[in-house]
Amino acid sequence: TPLYSSAASDVYKRQIPYIKGKRDGVEIYYRPDATISERHWWEKGIFKKAESYDTNGKWDWRRDEDGKSYFNN
């Protein structure tokens, strides 16, 4: 019997700063205040896109699978 459930583990992960957690092909990076700083999307091991977010949750930088970068200033 596991010591804690998968759902409890997900809550625990969200409380730790800078944790990297994979869900459905997405790597999520958190700041110390538990807001999301970056997300990276993968499909079958192939990079699809990455986004960086400001402290208000608005994306400020994006890179697509073709390597192009976009800024949302």
Side-chain angles (χ1 to χ4, degrees):
T1 305
L3 296 176
Y4 50 85
S5 71
S6 177
S9 175
D10 288 346
V11 170
Y12 176 74
K13 288 177 187 175
R14 285 194 296 269
Q15 294 174 347
I16 299 176
Y18 301 109
I19 192 76
K20 181 172 116 174
K22 279 194 168 185
R23 293 196 190 100
D24 300 326
V26 179
E27 294 177 335
I28 303 169
Y29 298 85
Y30 295 90
R31 291 187 184 87
D33 65 0
T35 59
I36 295 173
S37 64
E38 277 188 43
R39 287 184 179 156
H40 299 181
W41 283 263
W42 298 83
E43 184 177 304
K44 297 179 183 175
I46 299 170
F47 172 81
K48 292 298 179 181
K49 73 175 180 175
E51 288 182 348
S52 176
Y53 301 89
D54 65 16
T55 54
N56 295 317
K58 180 180 169 188
W59 75 271
D60 56 7
W61 171 84
R62 175 182 292 154
R63 185 178 63 158
D64 291 333
E65 65 183 309
D66 60 5
K68 292 182 182 176
S69 290
Y70 304 91
F71 296 90
N72 190 21
N73 299 7

